[in-house]
Amino acid sequence: MRKPYFGRLITAMVTHFNEDGSLNAEGTANFASWLVDHGSDAILVAGTSGEAPTMTVEEKEELFTAVIKKLDHRAPVIVGTGSNDTAATIRMNEVAEKVGADGVLVVGPFYNKPTQEGFYRHFKTIADHTKLPIVVYNVPGRTGSNILPETVARLARDCKNIVAIKEASGKVDQVAELYRLLPEDFSIYSGDDGLTLPFFAVGACGLISVLSNVGGALLQDLMQSYERGDVQRARELNKIMVPQAKSMFVVSNPIPIKEAVTRMTPFNAGPYRLPLCPMTDAERAKAEAAWKATGLLKE
């Protein structure tokens, strides 16, 4: 497989629910189309920001289908299929293939805490059972364990459809090591909005973003400025972007960004599913102050 590039900015899209908590697939698909019109090169459906852990297989299939149909090849659609069960991930990838996804995001197994050999066998087995391009998602803060660059390089060598990584370890040196070890056509995506610029400096080629649910144009401008060599402009944009990104993490993602979508875009993202819940008054006041200070929320 020739390793595809999904674009510079991939939005980890929030999932919209109706007021009764049911899936609003049509609303989410319309939002995906809006995101493509506002800076996103590709869309990630049912990732962490999309509250994937509380969605059923049937709901995910409905959601994948709606977004893919709505975008109609205007932008790639990557769907989250990973879990801490290798066999369940394989079954979810079969759904992704059936509905026509352009790629799958597979998170490192959480709670199990596999060894590096366990990570390798998990992803190798998954890759052997799908033709779809796979984006490895390394997020130690949520999974409890870190997929090391040597393991990713081994997977890239042995699995031609493992084509990219969303690196959310928060470690610039780890991105640098990935860039050193991985093939030239392997895509390294920052998984942390606030670290986009330093990650680009050591080898990242794009961002899988939370902030771009409401602020995609700024992120595109920042990355494009860096790519064309206007590093000073990228630095100045970074000064604006980093506080905006931090404002979306005053409490656990996706709580702030989902409320931000409802307040800063033409869409109502709806309620959360437990165990996620709305911010307290104190948390909301803190978030609002940060949004206003950074220019995201107008007075």
Side-chain angles (χ1 to χ4, degrees), residues 17-41:
F17 297 124
N18 298 308
E19 289 307 313
D20 64 358
S22 61
L23 175 66
N24 181 357
E26 181 181 1
T28 310
N30 289 335
F31 181 56
S33 182
W34 183 87
L35 288 170
V36 172
D37 291 336
H38 288 79
S40 297
D41 296 311

mmCIF file of all heavy atoms in Angstrom, residues 17-41:
data_model
loop_
_atom_site.group_PDB
_atom_site.id
_atom_site.type_symbol
_atom_site.label_atom_id
_atom_site.label_comp_id
_atom_site.label_asym_id
_atom_site.label_seq_id
_atom_site.Cartn_x
_atom_site.Cartn_y
_atom_site.Cartn_z
ATOM 1 N N PHE A 17 -25.465 14.810 20.246
ATOM 2 C CA PHE A 17 -26.568 14.007 20.762
ATOM 3 C C PHE A 17 -27.818 14.862 20.876
ATOM 4 O O PHE A 17 -27.738 16.088 21.048
ATOM 5 C CB PHE A 17 -26.221 13.429 22.146
ATOM 6 C CG PHE A 17 -25.055 12.476 22.137
ATOM 7 C CD1 PHE A 17 -23.953 12.684 22.947
ATOM 8 C CD2 PHE A 17 -25.056 11.358 21.321
ATOM 9 C CE1 PHE A 17 -22.866 11.820 22.958
ATOM 10 C CE2 PHE A 17 -23.981 10.472 21.312
ATOM 11 C CZ PHE A 17 -22.888 10.709 22.130
ATOM 12 N N ASN A 18 -28.963 14.208 20.762
ATOM 13 C CA ASN A 18 -30.232 14.890 21.004
ATOM 14 C C ASN A 18 -30.421 15.105 22.499
ATOM 15 O O ASN A 18 -29.712 14.530 23.320
ATOM 16 C CB ASN A 18 -31.382 14.059 20.415
ATOM 17 C CG ASN A 18 -31.257 13.894 18.908
ATOM 18 O OD1 ASN A 18 -31.098 14.871 18.174
ATOM 19 N ND2 ASN A 18 -31.320 12.654 18.439
ATOM 20 N N GLU A 19 -31.398 15.928 22.853
ATOM 21 C CA GLU A 19 -31.603 16.274 24.260
ATOM 22 C C GLU A 19 -31.931 15.053 25.120
ATOM 23 O O GLU A 19 -31.684 15.056 26.325
ATOM 24 C CB GLU A 19 -32.688 17.338 24.404
ATOM 25 C CG GLU A 19 -32.255 18.713 23.909
ATOM 26 C CD GLU A 19 -30.945 19.186 24.527
ATOM 27 O OE1 GLU A 19 -30.799 19.069 25.766
ATOM 28 O OE2 GLU A 19 -30.061 19.656 23.790
ATOM 29 N N ASP A 20 -32.485 14.003 24.510
ATOM 30 C CA ASP A 20 -32.775 12.790 25.269
ATOM 31 C C ASP A 20 -31.568 11.857 25.352
ATOM 32 O O ASP A 20 -31.657 10.747 25.898
ATOM 33 C CB ASP A 20 -33.975 12.050 24.667
ATOM 34 C CG ASP A 20 -33.729 11.542 23.246
ATOM 35 O OD1 ASP A 20 -32.624 11.787 22.690
ATOM 36 O OD2 ASP A 20 -34.645 10.908 22.676
ATOM 37 N N GLY A 21 -30.439 12.292 24.823
ATOM 38 C CA GLY A 21 -29.215 11.494 24.879
ATOM 39 C C GLY A 21 -29.004 10.569 23.699
ATOM 40 O O GLY A 21 -27.960 9.916 23.608
ATOM 41 N N SER A 22 -29.956 10.507 22.784
ATOM 42 C CA SER A 22 -29.809 9.651 21.607
ATOM 43 C C SER A 22 -28.862 10.299 20.595
ATOM 44 O O SER A 22 -28.636 11.514 20.605
ATOM 45 C CB SER A 22 -31.174 9.393 20.958
ATOM 46 O OG SER A 22 -31.774 10.614 20.537
ATOM 47 N N LEU A 23 -28.315 9.484 19.727
ATOM 48 C CA LEU A 23 -27.371 9.950 18.721
ATOM 49 C C LEU A 23 -28.049 10.871 17.719
ATOM 50 O O LEU A 23 -29.109 10.550 17.173
ATOM 51 C CB LEU A 23 -26.765 8.747 17.987
ATOM 52 C CG LEU A 23 -25.845 9.069 16.804
ATOM 53 C CD1 LEU A 23 -24.585 9.786 17.271
ATOM 54 C CD2 LEU A 23 -25.497 7.788 16.043
ATOM 55 N N ASN A 24 -27.415 12.000 17.457
ATOM 56 C CA ASN A 24 -27.863 12.914 16.411
ATOM 57 C C ASN A 24 -26.887 12.788 15.244
ATOM 58 O O ASN A 24 -25.981 13.611 15.084
ATOM 59 C CB ASN A 24 -27.922 14.346 16.941
ATOM 60 C CG ASN A 24 -28.417 15.346 15.895
ATOM 61 O OD1 ASN A 24 -28.674 14.991 14.749
ATOM 62 N ND2 ASN A 24 -28.534 16.609 16.291
ATOM 63 N N ALA A 25 -27.065 11.735 14.464
ATOM 64 C CA ALA A 25 -26.128 11.458 13.367
ATOM 65 C C ALA A 25 -26.204 12.530 12.292
ATOM 66 O O ALA A 25 -25.171 12.959 11.753
ATOM 67 C CB ALA A 25 -26.420 10.087 12.772
ATOM 68 N N GLU A 26 -27.400 12.998 11.978
ATOM 69 C CA GLU A 26 -27.554 14.012 10.938
ATOM 70 C C GLU A 26 -26.887 15.322 11.350
ATOM 71 O O GLU A 26 -26.178 15.961 10.559
ATOM 72 C CB GLU A 26 -29.037 14.261 10.646
ATOM 73 C CG GLU A 26 -29.272 15.294 9.548
ATOM 74 C CD GLU A 26 -30.748 15.549 9.281
ATOM 75 O OE1 GLU A 26 -31.594 14.943 9.967
ATOM 76 O OE2 GLU A 26 -31.046 16.366 8.381
ATOM 77 N N GLY A 27 -27.096 15.720 12.604
ATOM 78 C CA GLY A 27 -26.470 16.940 13.085
ATOM 79 C C GLY A 27 -24.955 16.843 13.083
ATOM 80 O O GLY A 27 -24.253 17.808 12.738
ATOM 81 N N THR A 28 -24.431 15.690 13.467
ATOM 82 C CA THR A 28 -22.985 15.497 13.468
ATOM 83 C C THR A 28 -22.431 15.550 12.049
ATOM 84 O O THR A 28 -21.380 16.147 11.805
ATOM 85 C CB THR A 28 -22.614 14.154 14.119
ATOM 86 O OG1 THR A 28 -23.283 14.026 15.376
ATOM 87 C CG2 THR A 28 -21.120 14.048 14.342
ATOM 88 N N ALA A 29 -23.142 14.947 11.110
ATOM 89 C CA ALA A 29 -22.700 14.970 9.711
ATOM 90 C C ALA A 29 -22.702 16.387 9.156
ATOM 91 O O ALA A 29 -21.781 16.786 8.431
ATOM 92 C CB ALA A 29 -23.590 14.058 8.877
ATOM 93 N N ASN A 30 -23.727 17.158 9.486
ATOM 94 C CA ASN A 30 -23.772 18.557 9.038
ATOM 95 C C ASN A 30 -22.619 19.354 9.636
ATOM 96 O O ASN A 30 -22.024 20.213 8.968
ATOM 97 C CB ASN A 30 -25.108 19.191 9.423
ATOM 98 C CG ASN A 30 -26.272 18.651 8.611
ATOM 99 O OD1 ASN A 30 -26.087 18.164 7.494
ATOM 100 N ND2 ASN A 30 -27.464 18.732 9.159
ATOM 101 N N PHE A 31 -22.284 19.059 10.878
ATOM 102 C CA PHE A 31 -21.157 19.719 11.527
ATOM 103 C C PHE A 31 -19.846 19.341 10.838
ATOM 104 O O PHE A 31 -18.966 20.190 10.630
ATOM 105 C CB PHE A 31 -21.116 19.355 13.006
ATOM 106 C CG PHE A 31 -20.007 19.999 13.786
ATOM 107 C CD1 PHE A 31 -19.854 21.375 13.810
ATOM 108 C CD2 PHE A 31 -19.110 19.222 14.495
ATOM 109 C CE1 PHE A 31 -18.814 21.969 14.523
ATOM 110 C CE2 PHE A 31 -18.080 19.801 15.221
ATOM 111 C CZ PHE A 31 -17.929 21.185 15.237
ATOM 112 N N ALA A 32 -19.706 18.088 10.462
ATOM 113 C CA ALA A 32 -18.506 17.648 9.747
ATOM 114 C C ALA A 32 -18.328 18.425 8.452
ATOM 115 O O ALA A 32 -17.213 18.848 8.105
ATOM 116 C CB ALA A 32 -18.581 16.145 9.460
ATOM 117 N N SER A 33 -19.417 18.645 7.736
ATOM 118 C CA SER A 33 -19.357 19.409 6.498
ATOM 119 C C SER A 33 -18.922 20.853 6.772
ATOM 120 O O SER A 33 -18.102 21.422 6.034
ATOM 121 C CB SER A 33 -20.724 19.389 5.808
ATOM 122 O OG SER A 33 -20.691 20.090 4.587
ATOM 123 N N TRP A 34 -19.426 21.420 7.850
ATOM 124 C CA TRP A 34 -19.040 22.784 8.248
ATOM 125 C C TRP A 34 -17.556 22.847 8.587
ATOM 126 O O TRP A 34 -16.865 23.808 8.220
ATOM 127 C CB TRP A 34 -19.894 23.214 9.437
ATOM 128 C CG TRP A 34 -19.669 24.615 9.907
ATOM 129 C CD1 TRP A 34 -20.275 25.747 9.447
ATOM 130 C CD2 TRP A 34 -18.779 25.041 10.965
ATOM 131 N NE1 TRP A 34 -19.818 26.848 10.142
ATOM 132 C CE2 TRP A 34 -18.910 26.451 11.076
ATOM 133 C CE3 TRP A 34 -17.903 24.368 11.819
ATOM 134 C CZ2 TRP A 34 -18.187 27.187 12.018
ATOM 135 C CZ3 TRP A 34 -17.178 25.101 12.745
ATOM 136 C CH2 TRP A 34 -17.320 26.490 12.841
ATOM 137 N N LEU A 35 -17.055 21.832 9.265
ATOM 138 C CA LEU A 35 -15.638 21.795 9.621
ATOM 139 C C LEU A 35 -14.753 21.797 8.375
ATOM 140 O O LEU A 35 -13.724 22.477 8.335
ATOM 141 C CB LEU A 35 -15.337 20.562 10.478
ATOM 142 C CG LEU A 35 -15.855 20.597 11.910
ATOM 143 C CD1 LEU A 35 -15.703 19.225 12.559
ATOM 144 C CD2 LEU A 35 -15.130 21.656 12.739
ATOM 145 N N VAL A 36 -15.141 21.043 7.362
ATOM 146 C CA VAL A 36 -14.370 21.016 6.118
ATOM 147 C C VAL A 36 -14.375 22.391 5.461
ATOM 148 O O VAL A 36 -13.383 22.803 4.848
ATOM 149 C CB VAL A 36 -14.913 19.923 5.172
ATOM 150 C CG1 VAL A 36 -14.244 20.005 3.801
ATOM 151 C CG2 VAL A 36 -14.699 18.545 5.774
ATOM 152 N N ASP A 37 -15.460 23.118 5.612
ATOM 153 C CA ASP A 37 -15.540 24.475 5.064
ATOM 154 C C ASP A 37 -14.775 25.489 5.910
ATOM 155 O O ASP A 37 -14.617 26.641 5.488
ATOM 156 C CB ASP A 37 -17.003 24.922 4.978
ATOM 157 C CG ASP A 37 -17.789 24.166 3.924
ATOM 158 O OD1 ASP A 37 -17.165 23.655 2.969
ATOM 159 O OD2 ASP A 37 -19.022 24.078 4.055
ATOM 160 N N HIS A 38 -14.312 25.085 7.097
ATOM 161 C CA HIS A 38 -13.661 26.021 8.015
ATOM 162 C C HIS A 38 -12.282 25.530 8.460
ATOM 163 O O HIS A 38 -11.912 25.630 9.619
ATOM 164 C CB HIS A 38 -14.561 26.288 9.226
ATOM 165 C CG HIS A 38 -15.769 27.129 8.897
ATOM 166 N ND1 HIS A 38 -16.883 26.593 8.287
ATOM 167 C CD2 HIS A 38 -16.012 28.455 9.069
ATOM 168 C CE1 HIS A 38 -17.779 27.567 8.107
ATOM 169 N NE2 HIS A 38 -17.261 28.689 8.558
ATOM 170 N N GLY A 39 -11.541 24.959 7.512
ATOM 171 C CA GLY A 39 -10.131 24.699 7.763
ATOM 172 C C GLY A 39 -9.706 23.260 7.894
ATOM 173 O O GLY A 39 -8.505 22.962 7.830
ATOM 174 N N SER A 40 -10.636 22.331 8.081
ATOM 175 C CA SER A 40 -10.248 20.930 8.282
ATOM 176 C C SER A 40 -9.968 20.245 6.946
ATOM 177 O O SER A 40 -10.754 20.348 6.007
ATOM 178 C CB SER A 40 -11.358 20.168 9.018
ATOM 179 O OG SER A 40 -11.565 20.705 10.301
ATOM 180 N N ASP A 41 -8.845 19.522 6.896
ATOM 181 C CA ASP A 41 -8.509 18.735 5.710
ATOM 182 C C ASP A 41 -9.142 17.349 5.754
ATOM 183 O O ASP A 41 -9.353 16.717 4.718
ATOM 184 C CB ASP A 41 -6.994 18.570 5.600
ATOM 185 C CG ASP A 41 -6.281 19.891 5.387
ATOM 186 O OD1 ASP A 41 -6.694 20.655 4.500
ATOM 187 O OD2 ASP A 41 -5.317 20.170 6.128
#
